[in-house]
Amino acid sequence: MKIPASASLIRNTLWMLGGFGFRLGVQFATFVLVARVLRPEAFGVFSGCLAVVSVLVPFATWGTGNILIKHTARRPQLFRTYWGAALLTALLSGFALMACAVGIGMVLFSPHLALTVMAPIAVADLLGTRCADLASQAFQAQQKLSGTSIIWSVVSLLRLVGAVALWWLPWEKTAALWSLFYMLSGLGSGLFGVYWVRALWGPASWSLKPLRGEWREGFYFAISLSAQGAYNDIDKTILLRLGSGDLAGAYAACYRLVDAGFTPIKALLASTYPRFFQEGAKGLGAALEFSRKLLPWSCAYGTLAWLGLILCAPLFPWILGRDYALTPAMIPWLAPLLLIRTVHFLAADALTGSGYQGHRSAAQVAVALLNLVLNLWWIPRSGWLGAAWSSLISDGALAVGLWVLAGTLRHRHG
């Protein structure tokens, strides 16, 4: 019996909420453990290097996971074809981008930091975790979000194992050591995800031919995610480069707390993503109408999470350690991002599902450049406060811009 769309959406959202809730607990434990063991300076070094890699991450798959979801959501029989093309793209691109990441690290920081911290992070995020992410998108394409949830949980659990090893082993607690454990957890999760997809749906069709004519759209997906990584994380790299490791570490810790608060919205977005392609096939108007149905609930949560994070801010130095004494002052400036991002993601997914990924990508690239300019201007003058101002203005501009863009395109094309 076919499950009604609303029932399927509720079921998938509940799976994602459960998985995200479990993942949130595990990630928070990992975050607290690593932050306390490394202390702000080493944690800031790791976060600054991670931010650079995050900008390259989307190009490791070139948007092929999104293309897999699009085609499978509309024609399920094409799954193995696009799954194989996505995996092959990840392997070929991943190795090239690892070398690129190390080279950037040598220019921005130092050869020692590039080889001992940047390189392991690159192996983890440009190869291992990307394969796990593709596997999670394979389950998402099949609208079996229980599998997506389990894969993400495995990624988090393996990182927690690495964090426990960092704390327990009698070695010097450095950013390089944590990067090594981070790499091993990423590779382990990638192998698990790929093996599980193969066990359920058979071997992949290893060919790039299905992607002929798709590279342009794949680039739009990749540049969109890369821009997102830039305006989310580049402030941490600039703080590390122009400020200090201590300051970058405290600021990165606050950003992680905000990301944790966004978890239920991530669950909703993940469970509705294939539906946006189905609604978008009817036109942008249908996709926007679907977004508007979700908007009141997601905004209500974003507002409550914003207030809750501010109320809990005085507790964070007690949880993370006295070295993070600045976090109560930073949190009120970053907490509004919970509401702002809720607004812009719903407009963005409506554009993507309707075939306007290029327009979405252009808007995100423009905001990433705005964020970079604001950070370079304000961080030398105002430190972490300048970074926070840059994030609020950039995300706010994106939220307004995407809804205006979507409305304009709907009016123009009907």
Side-chain angles (χ1 to χ4, degrees):
M1 182 178 69
K2 186 177 180 180
I3 298 173
S6 58
S8 176
L9 176 60
I10 292 170
R11 181 197 63 189
N12 283 331
T13 302
L14 288 175
W15 261 112
M16 295 310 298
L17 276 173
F20 268 115
F22 175 78
R23 189 184 180 199
L24 175 61
V26 174
Q27 284 183 326
F28 189 73
T30 303
F31 161 62
V32 171
L33 195 55
V34 172
R36 290 185 71 97
V37 170
L38 291 184
R39 300 188 162 218
E41 183 174 1
F43 188 71
V45 169
F46 174 81
S47 299
C49 293
L50 182 64
V52 174
V53 175
S54 72
V55 176
L56 299 175
V57 158
F59 296 102
T61 54
W62 203 260
T64 51
N66 301 80
I67 293 171
L68 168 68
I69 293 172
K70 181 186 75 171
H71 285 290
T72 305
R74 296 173 180 174
R75 298 174 63 193
Q77 67 271 21
L78 295 176
F79 171 76
R80 286 174 58 186
T81 299
Y82 283 94
W83 164 242
L87 270 183
L88 187 56
T89 301
L91 292 174
L92 294 175
S93 301
F95 285 106
L97 288 170
M98 281 187 269
C100 181
V102 173
I104 293 172
M106 289 184 176
V107 172
L108 287 181
F109 306 120
S110 68
H112 175 74
L113 202 61
L115 293 173
T116 61
V117 179
M118 188 80 83
I121 292 174
V123 173
D125 282 357
L126 296 172
L127 187 62
T129 312
R130 290 291 63 71
C131 288
D133 192 41
L134 282 178
S136 75
Q137 289 178 305
F139 281 95
Q140 198 175 358
Q142 301 279 6
Q143 298 198 44
K144 297 182 182 295
L145 273 78
S146 56
T148 301
S149 180
I150 289 170
I151 289 173
W152 286 348
S153 296
V154 167
V155 173
S156 300
L157 279 171
L158 289 177
R159 284 185 183 162
L160 178 59
V161 170
V164 171
L166 175 72
W167 166 76
W168 181 70
L169 290 173
W171 299 337
E172 185 182 1
K173 316 303 182 185
T174 63
L177 181 60
W178 170 234
S179 298
L180 176 63
F181 291 134
Y182 186 86
M183 179 186 72
L184 294 175
S185 68
L187 290 174
S189 62
L191 288 171
F192 169 79
V194 171
Y195 177 80
W196 192 16
V197 171
R198 178 188 171 89
L200 289 178
W201 292 297
S205 299
W206 295 94
S207 173
L208 295 178
K209 289 182 180 179
L211 296 176
R212 287 178 180 173
E214 303 273 7
W215 293 111
R216 182 176 178 179
E217 186 176 10
F219 173 75
Y220 288 152
F221 282 120
I223 198 68
S224 172
L225 291 171
S226 180
Q228 181 180 318
Y231 60 70
N232 282 348
D233 293 324
I234 204 65
D235 48 2
K236 302 165 192 64
T237 301
I238 296 174
L239 273 172
L240 178 62
R241 185 74 175 82
L242 301 180
S244 67
D246 287 351
L247 197 62
Y251 184 81
C254 289
Y255 229 95
R256 292 288 184 91
L257 293 167
V258 172
D259 283 342
F262 198 64
T263 294
I265 301 300
K266 287 181 180 178
L268 177 66
L269 293 169
S271 61
T272 56
Y273 193 59
R275 177 77 178 273
F276 273 107
F277 285 108
Q278 294 169 349
E279 295 296 327
K282 306 171 190 174
L284 179 56
L288 284 174
E289 183 61 29
F290 183 54
S291 286
R292 290 191 186 101
K293 290 178 181 178
L294 301 173
L295 195 60
W297 300 99
S298 56
C299 284
Y301 169 78
T303 302
L304 289 173
W306 171 4
L307 298 174
L309 199 59
I310 292 175
L311 290 174
C312 294
L315 299 176
F316 295 134
W318 178 77
I319 296 171
L320 301 175
R322 288 178 295 177
D323 294 321
Y324 295 87
L326 277 175
T327 52
M330 294 177 173
I331 284 291
W333 288 99
L334 293 174
L337 292 173
L338 288 165
L339 177 59
I340 296 171
R341 288 183 178 174
T342 293
V343 174
H344 78 59
F345 267 113
L346 288 173
D349 283 354
L351 288 168
T352 296
S354 306
Y356 292 102
Q357 179 62 40
H359 293 75
R360 172 182 178 171
S361 299
Q364 289 180 294
V365 168
V367 167
L369 292 173
L370 172 65
N371 183 262
L372 176 62
V373 170
L374 291 176
N375 275 307
L376 290 172
W377 176 259
W378 276 333
I379 286 177
R381 291 163 175 78
S382 303
W384 68 263
L385 192 56
W389 293 340
S390 300
S391 290
L392 291 172
I393 290 174
S394 300
D395 278 85
L398 185 62
V400 173
L402 285 174
W403 279 101
V404 170
L405 176 62
T408 302
L409 289 170
R410 182 187 181 183
H411 178 73
R412 182 182 302 167
H413 300 292

